[in-house]
Amino acid sequence: MHSAPPSGGGGGVKLEVCLTPALIPLYKVEDYIVVVIDIFRATTSICYGIENGAEAIIPVSQVEECSAYHEKGFDYLLAAERDGKVVEGFDFGNSPFSYTKEKVAGKTIVLTTTNGTHALHLSRSAKKIVLGAFINITSLCNWLKQQNENVLLVCSGWKNNFNLEDTLFAGAVVEQLKNSGFVIDDSAIAANDLYQLAKDDLDGYLKKTSHSERLKKLGIEADIAFCLNVDIATAIPVLDGERLVKL
Amino acid sequence: MHSAPPSGGGGGVKLEVCLTPALIPLYKVEDYIVVVIDIFRATTSICYGIENGAEAIIPVSQVEECSAYHEKGFDYLLAAERDGKVVEGFDFGNSPFSYTKEKVAGKTIVLTTTNGTHALHLSRSAKKIVLGAFINITSLCNWLKQQNENVLLVCSGWKNNFNLEDTLFAGAVVEQLKNSGFVIDDSAIAANDLYQLAKDDLDGYLKKTSHSERLKKLGIEADIAFCLNVDIATAIPVLDGERLVKL
């Protein structure tokens, strides 16, 4: 382990990166603030929706769970995609462009996201669960610096597998926090080094990744480009029961 | 996914990196040749021992299992350490310097290694399980290129956690194989990029790691330096039942 710099502001608390949800059980999450990361596209869309005044966003893993909210008569917007297309009868899909002020202000949205929901579920005993994306990164990091708590950055990955885009974002968070006195682990070092390599051309670097290829086949390159915008939002979504609301 | 280069020799088979043993269940290991990696120090010592004529090396996870071989009356050398010291009554510990020709030629050794044994156990249904270390890397890679099989590089890590040294070695293997037609995944890209960053000064880079710090506290810096020697061996250990023997 790195020892904490003597002048650090974090008091020697830990900053660690959990590279896939399958590794969450290795951590005593009740000792951490957990940041859930699913850059393409769930946490980006949710951060953007909360920024734009959505009252709450409820993440679920299955399209069927999402429809159930409609059947119960709730007046919620429902977001679900299959193969890159909005599922029939739903209000919209997972594109961040659907989460504009005009569409979401004052609304509650039920959003289907397999990997993100899985990560949230496994982290549920954490001290607090917040969501991060490039669009709110500096706001998130400033808040994390003030907490004096252990921080676990959880990459949602793809079906429990490691992915590069979530790891790069974790590395970008480490970049902002690493001189604030946190003790960092090997995966935080690795994520930060990968971010250093990629930061001057995130989009170019991510062209190498598996998920980027998948998303391109779905014709949603514009979404990907949007997800790499930095600091266009300041809202931080926090989990309150089953609902993500503004911190 | 990267698509396989048209001129590749691997026929589009996969080259993937499993970053910790906790992720092995995500792979259908029966479709892969598995390379188990535990650079500091188990796989380095085992490769060196097999190179130096050991008849077989039997990896076990507990010191007690190791002693059991003695109690059964087998004429095996027993290797076990606790806190960096040879356990009383054992022949030697896990230092690669114990695995010289003089000590191991013609012998069977029972070696205690928690992380390595765990990775081997979880990989046991693989097509074949071989061991890799910097000391036999080119020989290993040349053999892998000839197999035309999917390859899974399994990092033993530390108590199921990610570690940098095993990941860097995986990245060094990817470096030798990536132009041979393998389809590589995100973790292979990440491991290879980290290796690119570190390759000119592996020792310096690894000074950042958690395990390196642990080993230094044990006073075994010379072991670490030895484990970073490249291509001083050609033997490849392969698992045959419970025994690692020369391929």
Side-chain angles (χ1 to χ4, degrees), chain B residues 87-155:
Chain B
V87 178
E88 208 186 309
F90 283 65
D91 301 295
F92 43 81
N94 294 349
S95 169
F97 295 112
S98 298
Y99 294 75
T100 57
K101 198 167 286 182
E102 296 68 31
K103 291 185 183 161
V104 304
K107 307 276 189 182
T108 292
I109 301 132
V110 185
L111 172 145
T112 316
T113 164
T114 316
N115 299 307
T117 301
H118 182 55
L120 282 164
H121 181 71
L122 289 174
S123 306
R124 66 194 179 282
S125 58
K127 286 193 173 183
K128 199 165 281 205
I129 302 179
V130 296
L131 262 53
F134 285 106
I135 68 166
N136 74 345
I137 184 169
T138 299
S139 173
L140 171 72
C141 289
N142 289 340
W143 180 78
L144 289 170
K145 282 180 198 169
Q146 293 159 12
Q147 303 312 304
N148 201 30
E149 298 277 5
N150 298 318
V151 173
L152 183 63
L153 307 175
V154 172
C155 300

Side-chain angles (χ1 to χ4, degrees), chain B residues 20-39:
Chain B
T20 97
L23 301 178
I24 295 174
L26 299 178
Y27 300 86
K28 211 178 146 197
V29 288
E30 52 270 39
D31 292 343
Y32 292 83
I33 291 174
V34 164
V35 179
V36 171
I37 302 162
D38 188 0
I39 289 300

Side-chain angles (χ1 to χ4, degrees), chain B:
Chain B
M1 294 278 184
H2 272 162
S3 52
S7 61
V13 294
K14 294 186 273 193
L15 172 60
E16 302 186 338
V17 174
C18 179
L19 293 168
T20 97
L23 301 178
I24 295 174
L26 299 178
Y27 300 86
K28 211 178 146 197
V29 288
E30 52 270 39
D31 292 343
Y32 292 83
I33 291 174
V34 164
V35 179
V36 171
I37 302 162
D38 188 0
I39 289 300
F40 296 157
R41 301 164 287 165
T43 60
T44 303
S45 294
I46 294 168
C47 290
Y48 195 51
I50 295 293
E51 175 79 9
N52 285 328
E55 190 181 304
I57 298 183
I58 303 173
V60 298
S61 28
Q62 305 289 337
V63 172
E64 293 67 27
E65 291 173 72
C66 195
S67 336
Y69 279 89
H70 190 61
E71 286 154 17
K72 285 180 195 158
F74 290 119
D75 183 26
Y76 293 167
L77 291 172
L78 304 185
E81 277 189 9
R82 282 221 168 125
D83 302 324
K85 300 210 186 321
V86 175
V87 178
E88 208 186 309
F90 283 65
D91 301 295
F92 43 81
N94 294 349
S95 169
F97 295 112
S98 298
Y99 294 75
T100 57
K101 198 167 286 182
E102 296 68 31
K103 291 185 183 161
V104 304
K107 307 276 189 182
T108 292
I109 301 132
V110 185
L111 172 145
T112 316
T113 164
T114 316
N115 299 307
T117 301
H118 182 55
L120 282 164
H121 181 71
L122 289 174
S123 306
R124 66 194 179 282
S125 58
K127 286 193 173 183
K128 199 165 281 205
I129 302 179
V130 296
L131 262 53
F134 285 106
I135 68 166
N136 74 345
I137 184 169
T138 299
S139 173
L140 171 72
C141 289
N142 289 340
W143 180 78
L144 289 170
K145 282 180 198 169
Q146 293 159 12
Q147 303 312 304
N148 201 30
E149 298 277 5
N150 298 318
V151 173
L152 183 63
L153 307 175
V154 172
C155 300
S156 296
W158 180 258
K159 296 184 180 175
N160 275 324
N161 285 289
F162 171 91
N163 79 25
L164 271 170
E165 64 271 20
D166 294 342
T167 305
L168 283 186
F169 175 77
V173 172
V174 174
E175 182 72 12
Q176 290 205 26
L177 298 183
K178 68 182 179 183
N179 294 320
S180 297
F182 289 94
V183 178
I184 70 174
D185 68 351
D186 275 16
S187 41
I189 295 170
N192 187 236
D193 281 342
L194 290 169
Y195 173 71
Q196 302 277 1
L197 265 181
K199 66 181 176 184
D200 294 332
D201 181 15
L202 280 178
D203 188 46
Y205 187 84
L206 287 171
K207 285 201 167 48
K208 301 201 285 187
T209 69
S210 53
H211 198 37
S212 162
E213 280 301 307
R214 265 194 299 276
L215 293 176
K216 267 178 198 156
K217 282 182 195 145
L218 300 178
I220 44 187
E221 293 94 331
D223 285 9
I224 298 177
F226 183 88
C227 292
L228 299 177
N229 277 321
V230 176
D231 287 339
I232 60 167
T234 57
I236 303 169
V238 62
L239 193 66
D240 177 17
E242 64 172 357
R243 298 149 49 91
L244 291 157
V245 297
K246 190 171 176 177
L247 182 74

Side-chain angles (χ1 to χ4, degrees), chain A residues 12 20 25 34 43 56 69 72 79 84 86 94 98 115 158 163 182 198 219 235:
Chain A
T20 97
V34 163
T43 60
Y69 279 88
K72 285 180 197 159
V86 176
N94 293 349
S98 298
N115 300 305
W158 180 258
N163 79 24
F182 289 94

